[in-house]
């Protein structure tokens, strides 16, 4: 009876943690999606704005979406028109002039924050491009929300790519294992990789000289990581010669 009661308690704990993790995921996704939709609605309004209306629209965006750090409106040539001035180092392509929709730029780095630039087209009712709305989204709220969750000792955090493959997982205090999939090879694709060189850098910048992984392994574990530090990792294929 004691054993059965212990199993029942363990199952309830698992169910409770699973529900909490799902709730956190839904909350994070809702925050990001709401911000993206807000930018899209604002871009549509800005396509037919008067100067005063444009300033009001940008003020509403900043007040309604707390993860937006900077918002700016650019004309069709990509020149600043309204809103915050973007850092001169921020560059993005205007090739999307002949497409519809928006895109997320490369990750931006500033201090200890991880940010992305979300760019949305502003088109009028006739579908003609009038400019671009760019918003700098601060992703540090993800780390803060996970820290608040207090999932407890032994919890594992997984990072998945767009195809649902695990590319990183926590494996203990201060330890993270990154993994990857061996690329296709043979025929016109060339020789199979003999190994990989894995690079590590804080915030994905200033990578070290790398460490080689051989023997067919497709993962590497980093240890001694301070709590809260953002780890960036990348790899190259090693080939004969």
């Amino acid at each position: 009876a004691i054993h059965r009661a212990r199993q029942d308690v363990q199952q309830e704990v698992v169910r409770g943690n699973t529900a909490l993790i799902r709730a956190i995921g839904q909350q994070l996704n809702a925050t990001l999606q709401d911000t993206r939709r807000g930018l899209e609605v604002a871009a549509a309004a800005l396509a037919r704005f008067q100067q005063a209306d444009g300033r009001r629209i940008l003020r509403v965006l900043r007040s309604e979406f707390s993860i937006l750090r900077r918002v700016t409106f650019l004309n069709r040539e990509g020149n600043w028109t309204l809103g915050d001035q973007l850092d001169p180092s921020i560059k993005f392509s205007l090739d999307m002039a002949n497409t519809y929709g928006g895109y997320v730029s490369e990750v931006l780095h500033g201090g200890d924050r991880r940010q992305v630039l979300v760019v949305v087209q502003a088109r009028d009712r006739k579908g003609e491009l009038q400019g671009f709305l760019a918003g700098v989204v601060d992703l540090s709220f993800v780390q803060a929300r996970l820290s608040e969750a207090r999932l407890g000792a032994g919890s594992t955090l997984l990072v998945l790519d767009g195809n649902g493959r695990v590319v990183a997982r926590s494996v203990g205090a201060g330890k993270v294992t990154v993994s990857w999939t061996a690329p296709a090879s043979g025929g016109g694709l060339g020789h199979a990789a003999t190994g990989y060189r894995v690079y590590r850098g804080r915030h994905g910048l200033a990578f070290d000289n790398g460490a080689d992984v051989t023997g067919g392994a497709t993962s590497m574990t980093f240890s001694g990581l301070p709590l809260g530090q953002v780890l960036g990792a990348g790899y190259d294929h090693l080939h004969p010669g």
Side-chain angles (χ1 to χ4, degrees):
I2 294 176
H3 178 68
R4 187 161 50 251
R6 181 181 299 165
Q7 284 183 322
D8 290 342
V9 170
Q10 289 174 338
Q11 289 174 355
E12 287 303 316
V13 169
V14 170
R15 277 196 286 266
N17 280 337
T18 301
L20 174 60
I21 291 168
R22 286 176 177 165
I24 292 171
Q26 290 170 352
Q27 184 184 57
L28 296 176
N29 184 61
T31 301
L32 291 169
Q33 295 300 333
D34 286 349
T35 302
R36 180 184 61 80
R37 281 192 290 268
L39 287 169
E40 290 174 345
V41 171
L46 283 166
R48 51 184 185 276
F49 77 97
Q50 299 295 324
Q51 196 83 346
D53 293 333
R55 293 193 184 94
R56 179 180 57 80
I57 291 168
L58 295 184
R59 281 199 302 272
V60 171
L61 270 178
R62 294 189 194 96
S63 64
E64 292 293 325
F65 302 100
S66 61
I67 64 175
L68 279 175
R69 289 294 170 262
R70 294 189 295 281
V71 187
T72 186
F73 184 68
L74 305 100
N75 62 20
R76 284 176 290 190
E77 289 71 42
N79 299 319
W80 177 86
T81 303
L82 278 177
D84 304 312
Q85 292 282 359
L86 293 179
D87 189 294
S89 64
I90 297 177
K91 306 291 182 185
F92 60 93
S93 168
L94 300 182
D95 313 344
M96 45 187 293
N98 296 319
T99 63
Y100 283 83
Y103 73 97
V104 177
S105 79
E106 295 293 326
V107 176
L108 312 175
H109 305 275
D112 287 335
R113 295 184 181 277
R114 180 60 73 96
Q115 302 174 333
V116 294
L117 180 67
V118 180
V119 182
V120 180
Q121 295 178 1
R123 290 183 179 271
D124 61 20
R125 290 179 178 142
K126 296 179 181 178
E128 295 179 358
L129 182 68
Q130 300 300 316
F132 302 89
L133 179 63
V136 177
V137 177
D138 187 353
L139 300 181
S140 61
F141 80 97
V142 175
Q143 179 181 325
R145 184 65 187 90
L146 291 174
S147 298
E148 292 168 0
R150 298 181 181 178
L151 295 175
S155 299
T156 299
L157 178 65
L158 304 178
V159 178
L160 282 66
D161 67 10
N163 295 315
R165 292 186 293 256
V166 176
V167 294
R169 70 171 68 224
S170 60
V171 289
K175 294 182 179 181
V176 172
T177 295
V178 296
S179 55
W180 56 90
T181 302
S185 60
L189 299 175
H191 296 291
T194 58
Y196 306 89
R197 181 160 296 155
V198 183
Y199 304 91
R200 167 181 166 177
R202 189 178 179 189
H203 298 288
L205 290 177
F207 286 102
D208 59 18
N209 293 325
D212 291 352
V213 177
T214 58
T218 55
S219 66
M220 184 175 185
T221 299
F222 297 103
S223 58
L225 301 174
L227 181 64
Q229 183 183 103
V230 177
L231 172 70
Y235 69 93
D236 283 334
H237 308 139
L238 300 179
H239 294 279

